[in-house]
Structures are given as C-alpha cells and as structure tokens.
Amino acid sequence: MAAAVNHRPDRSRRALLQGRLRARPLLRPPWALDESLFVDACTGCNACVAACPEAVLLAGEGGLPEFDPARGECTFCGDCASACRESAFGPLSDPPWTLRAQVGDACLAARGIVCSSCRDACGESAIRFPPTRTVPMPQVDADRCTGCGACVQGCPATAISLAPLVAEMPVEA
Ligand code: SF4
Ligand code: SF4
Ligand code: SF4
C-alpha cells in the first residue's frame, strides 16, 4: 500500500516563513487565524484560493494563500473560509480582519495633481478629501474602512496599501 503523502509544510519552512513575515507582513485571506496559528494549521492545499469567486487569493510564498488587493476587491463572501478543511480560519461571525487602507507618498495629490480615483472606488465612503487651499489629500476613515482593497486597484499611482489596524496606546497623564 502506498504511504500517505504529508502535504504539511515542514517546521523549518514554517520558521523561515514566520521570520520573513516579521520583516514583510503578508496579507492572508479574511478570517485567517493569527499568523503563527495559520501557518501551523494550513497545509497549502489552496482550496481557499480555488473557492474565491473574485480571484483575489493566490498561492503565495511557501505555497500558502495570500490576499492580493492588486487583483481586486474582497467581497467578504466567506467562500474561502468555508472551503478550508484544516481549521485555518476563525468563525465567519467574527470580523474578517483588521486591515485598513493607507495612502502612501506616491499619491498624486501629494504631488499637486488632482485625483479622486480611490474615493470613487470605495463603496464604503471611507475616503474623504477635506477642503484645503491646495490640492486636497485623501484621508481614510478607519471606522468605515473594511480593508476590502477596492481602492488599491483603483489608484493609478499604486499609492494605497493595506495594513493591520494598530491599536492606539493609552496616553499617560
Ligand atoms: S483551504 Fe485551508 S489548508 Fe488549504 S490553503 Fe486555504 S487555509 Fe490552507
Ligand atoms: S471572502 Fe470571498 S471574495 Fe473575499 S477572499 Fe474569501 S472567497 Fe474571496
Ligand atoms: S479598503 Fe475598501 S473600504 Fe477601505 S478605503 Fe479602500 S475601498 Fe474603501
């Protein structure tokens, strides 16, 4: 009888992945467990990638799934999480992630060029342009932003990225 094939990444590769992740955070699918738990649970089968109707997931570094907002917007349908047989995702009743959009230095407005493509792409009305005497700069409302990534693809200057929301530290009196 043929021996069962173990598809799980080996420990050394997991450690390597985790080490790299500290330097360059990867975007996992929505509802993915915290990184170390996710890397331990995920076999790299990529059933979640195949299940995504928006094709915004890909087999990334080490063959593990990543979310690539340059491909389009996550609609939070949950098909990726439902396709996983390895307990690599949390419950769909939880928030999908803490990702939020952030505008970088490449923004056209920062160079004096009027542009509102990101606002136009955002279905959550999470990007505003406060009035100013110069060219208005986009500001992301973190309370409205879902981290869907629609604005990432919508930006002609590739100026928008997604990053986990960082909790504000309490200010000592
Ligand atoms: S379906 Fe689950 S085990 Fe398979 S690649 Fe996606 S997260 Fe990993
Ligand atoms: S929630 Fe749906 S659209 Fe978003 S990554 Fe998963 S399968 Fe794709
Ligand atoms: S990530 Fe989605 S919700 Fe957030 S600002 Fe961009 S388009 Fe709007």
Side-chain angles (χ1 to χ4, degrees):
M1 194 169 93
V5 178
N6 181 7
H7 293 288
R8 288 179 182 276
D10 64 37
R11 290 277 158 194
S12 59
R13 187 163 71 89
R14 287 168 198 267
L16 182 64
L17 284 169
Q18 287 167 346
R20 283 186 192 164
L21 287 170
R22 276 192 288 277
R24 183 176 68 85
L26 298 176
L27 304 182
R28 294 299 182 198
W31 294 283
L33 298 180
D34 287 347
E35 185 61 22
S36 60
L37 296 173
F38 182 81
V39 171
D40 271 345
C42 177
T43 62
C45 73
N46 284 304
C48 54
V49 175
C52 177
E54 306 298 331
V56 294
L57 301 182
L58 71 154
E61 203 168 293
L64 304 192
E66 297 175 22
F67 167 51
D68 180 5
R71 295 175 166 223
E73 169 187 2
C74 173
T75 60
F76 304 107
C77 66
D79 287 0
C80 49
S82 299
C84 181
R85 296 289 168 260
E86 299 293 339
S87 304
F89 290 83
L92 293 178
S93 53
D94 284 354
W97 50 30
T98 65
L99 294 182
R100 298 292 185 270
Q102 54 187 21
V103 181
D105 294 341
C107 175
L108 295 178
R111 288 186 267 154
I113 301 168
V114 175
C115 174
S116 59
S117 296
C118 54
R119 179 178 60 192
D120 297 344
C122 179
E124 302 296 329
S125 302
I127 299 182
R128 296 178 186 145
F129 288 77
T132 170
R133 291 186 181 183
T134 58
V135 175
M137 286 286 299
Q139 289 189 356
V140 178
D141 181 342
D143 290 335
R144 284 178 171 265
C145 177
T146 63
C148 70
C151 55
V152 174
Q153 195 186 41
C155 174
T158 324
I160 302 184
S161 57
L162 300 178
L165 192 63
V166 178
E168 286 184 26
M169 299 296 287
V171 179
E172 290 186 22

